Amino acid sequence: MSYKRKYVKAKRFLKSSLNRNLWAFLFFLVLSFGFWLFLTLEEEYDLEVSVPVKLVNVPGNVVITTPPQNVIKVTLHDNGGTLLKYKYSNLLDTIKIDFNDYVKSSGYVSILTSEITRETFEKLNVATKVVSVKPDTVEYFYNYGTYVKVPVVINGKITADSLYAVGDTSISPQYAKVYASRELLDTLTRVYTKPFVLEKLNKTTTHTVGLAKIRGAKIVPEKIKVTFDADLVTENTVQVPVEYINFPAGKTLKTFPGMVSVTFHVGMKRFREVTADKFAIVVTYDEVMKSSGNRLRLSLKDKPRGVSHIRILPEEVEFLIEDNVE
């Protein structure tokens, strides 16, 4: 088909009544949308706008241990058109807090939000109303590089799959630096991870977890890695003697039997390490005096790391207190 014939057919289509009706429909649709948009923008609304906050002119020897809030949330009331201008323009620019204007010996600064937003609000239209400002104060902490190094403690719930046990646990790094005021640093002995849960472990598992925040402190690093070694479990039994302590001079305790069986679960990797001398079953003189009759219920005073489901057989023994013969 020639170009001329295509042109003639297109011209006829544009002149057809169907096409004229379509163009009329589109015209009125656009007109209606414009009218609706005009009315909508003239209506008054509330709009929350986030205004960025930035701390500037911080000296090189200063450590900001807790920075100020990143944004201030301002709710404005005005017509839709004006609110759109606030939302998508740079009229409400970043609020800059000059560090040098608020130097405090305590290392803690708290500023009323109304104080640092005054200049920003002066840029608003006269008809615009400020409904609310959150937060009402902006605060931050800093020091001049003072820190302590403290151990990291795991705050988690770790369970192994059936037939497995959680054995060796490693933390990397084991210590964290905490920058804060001297008063706060003097009270710190450790830092904790954020709470976490790892369930049904059946292999060596490494987990990255953040450290719990401390108000007014900066913790380095913010995250650490913990590795848990899940090991197949086996059962073992050892013979442990019943010992006694804190008896008066000249008094001796004899139990029947003198050795009891301790049965426990242990990972295969630790099987040979866990021997009888790693357990301690100790009876004190006070416990003997409080017992009724001539039987004592036994309990472990010490056990090795990595064992579980411990059972003592027999759980009770008969006893006799003898005087030493010189």
Side-chain angles (χ1 to χ4, degrees):
M1 185 181 293
S2 67
Y3 173 78
K4 186 175 181 180
R5 291 178 65 185
K6 290 180 180 178
Y7 172 77
V8 171
K9 290 190 70 175
K11 189 175 181 180
R12 286 177 182 172
F13 174 74
L14 291 173
K15 287 183 177 180
S16 67
S17 60
L18 176 62
N19 195 54
R20 285 197 300 271
N21 291 337
L22 177 62
W23 281 109
F25 171 75
L26 292 175
F27 171 76
F28 285 108
L29 180 63
V30 172
L31 186 64
S32 300
F33 174 76
F35 184 67
W36 170 83
L37 182 62
F38 174 78
L39 292 177
T40 300
L41 293 179
E42 284 301 307
E43 290 288 331
E44 293 193 348
Y45 305 94
D46 286 347
L47 176 69
E48 185 178 80
V49 180
S50 295
V51 184
V53 177
K54 185 177 181 181
L55 186 62
V56 298
N57 297 327
V58 180
N61 63 334
V62 168
V63 177
I64 303 299
T65 56
T66 302
Q69 294 89 329
N70 327 354
V71 296
I72 292 173
K73 295 187 178 296
V74 182
T75 302
L76 303 174
H77 181 87
D78 208 329
N79 63 63
T82 303
L83 293 177
L84 284 177
K85 180 181 67 173
Y86 294 142
K87 186 170 182 65
Y88 295 107
S89 71
N90 292 326
L91 187 63
L92 300 180
D93 203 0
T94 301
I95 296 173
K96 295 181 179 179
I97 302 173
D98 192 324
F99 178 88
N100 297 312
D101 292 341
Y102 300 96
V103 175
K104 300 287 180 67
S105 59
S106 63
Y108 168 65
V109 176
S110 179
I111 312 167
L112 289 174
T113 306
S114 58
E115 180 180 340
I116 59 176
T117 54
R118 189 179 299 116
E119 185 177 335
T120 298
F121 290 165
E122 288 174 355
K123 300 176 184 178
L124 300 175
N125 287 358
V126 177
T128 304
K129 296 179 182 178
V130 178
V131 178
S132 67
V133 181
K134 299 177 184 178
D136 56 2
T137 58
V138 173
E139 62 179 16
Y140 59 91
F141 295 80
Y142 67 92
N143 76 5
Y144 291 91
T146 306
Y147 71 90
V148 294
K149 199 171 183 180
V150 293
V152 176
V153 178
I154 296 172
N155 179 20
K157 180 182 178 182
I158 302 94
T159 59
D161 204 348
S162 58
L163 304 181
Y164 284 83
V166 178
D168 292 330
T169 300
S170 63
I171 304 173
S172 180
Q174 297 181 12
Y175 293 85
K177 289 182 179 180
V178 182
Y179 295 84
S181 65
R182 174 48 61 189
E183 292 76 15
L184 178 56
L185 295 180
D186 287 343
T187 66
L188 285 179
T189 57
R190 61 184 67 87
V191 292
Y192 293 90
T193 65
K194 293 178 180 178
F196 66 96
V197 176
L198 290 177
E199 297 178 317
K200 297 184 178 180
L201 299 186
N202 56 18
K203 62 181 179 180
T204 300
T205 302
T206 299
H207 180 64
T208 300
V209 60
L211 297 181
K213 294 184 180 299
I214 301 172
R215 185 173 182 268
K218 178 180 182 180
I219 304 175
V220 181
E222 295 181 349
K223 297 180 178 180
I224 55 113
K225 289 184 178 181
V226 287
T227 300
F228 303 97
D229 185 17
D231 192 11
L232 271 171
V233 169
T234 186
E235 187 174 87
N236 192 18
T237 300
V238 293
Q239 299 298 312
V240 179
V242 179
E243 302 176 77
Y244 62 93
I245 58 172
N246 298 331
F247 270 61
K251 299 289 185 181
T252 301
L253 177 72
K254 284 191 175 182
T255 62
F256 307 94
M259 303 275 288
V260 295
S261 298
V262 177
T263 301
F264 52 91
H265 289 177
V266 63
M268 292 292 292
K269 295 178 182 178
R270 290 185 177 275
F271 184 83
R272 295 185 180 279
E273 298 176 14
V274 181
T275 52
D277 59 310
K278 300 293 195 306
F279 296 89
I281 297 176
V282 180
V283 177
T284 67
Y285 187 71
D286 288 340
E287 290 172 337
V288 173
M289 291 296 100
K290 291 176 182 177
S291 65
S292 57
N294 66 333
R295 299 188 67 84
L296 282 172
R297 188 171 185 83
L298 301 177
S299 62
L300 280 170
K301 294 298 188 292
D302 196 12
K303 64 178 182 179
R305 184 167 55 93
V307 298
S308 62
H309 299 84
I310 301 172
R311 305 188 306 277
I312 301 173
L313 292 175
E315 295 180 339
E316 292 185 345
V317 293
E318 295 182 352
F319 72 91
L320 179 65
I321 297 177
E322 294 182 336
D323 292 324
N324 292 334
V325 179
E326 294 185 2

